[in-house]
Amino acid sequence: MSIYVGNLSYEVERGDLEQVFAEYGTVKSVQLPTDRETGRVRGFAFVEMGTEAEEAAAIESLDGAEWMGRNLKVNKAKPKEDNRGSFGGNRRGNNGGGGYSRRY
């Protein structure tokens, strides 16, 4: 399981996060998503720690803490939902046709 870290400064770098979370244990990985068009950090990250106990300690200590001028939002990351459905999210069971009826 990994930790979601939100409300990050746009100036944050991967090494900054590694350093802060290393105070609570082994940091296995840090993912710091960037915007595809601008390359700018998106303001959140995912951190994976060595053990559940280390994750719990980091969450307990850092959630709500002020860092780089921002109050962090730190909690267990939720599993990613699969949003690769059809265009428009058609959930009614119809085929999303254009509404035309072919009569011969």
Side-chain angles (χ1 to χ4, degrees):
M1 196 69 176
S2 63
I3 300 170
Y4 167 82
V5 185
N7 201 32
L8 288 172
S9 166
Y10 295 111
E11 307 300 318
V12 73
E13 295 180 2
R14 185 180 319 274
D16 299 327
L17 286 166
E18 288 172 349
Q19 186 176 11
V20 167
F21 279 85
E23 294 179 26
Y24 303 97
T26 303
V27 178
K28 290 174 68 177
S29 69
V30 174
Q31 295 176 357
L32 190 59
T34 56
D35 184 89
R36 290 181 195 169
E37 293 181 20
T38 66
R40 185 172 114 170
V41 173
R42 294 179 62 194
F44 65 92
F46 297 97
V47 177
E48 188 175 354
M49 303 291 291
T51 68
E52 292 283 330
E54 293 170 347
E55 287 182 0
I59 291 168
E60 178 71 27
S61 296
L62 296 174
D63 187 37
E66 200 237 312
W67 186 56
M68 296 180 82
R70 300 266 186 126
N71 291 331
L72 298 178
K73 176 71 175 161
V74 183
N75 54 41
K76 283 255 189 206
K78 295 180 178 134
K80 185 176 180 179
E81 293 181 12
D82 185 5
N83 292 330
R84 294 179 288 158
S86 63
F87 290 90
N90 189 351
R91 295 183 184 159
R92 289 191 204 147
N94 61 17
N95 65 5
Y100 295 102
S101 177
R102 293 182 114 174
R103 294 184 189 198
Y104 296 97

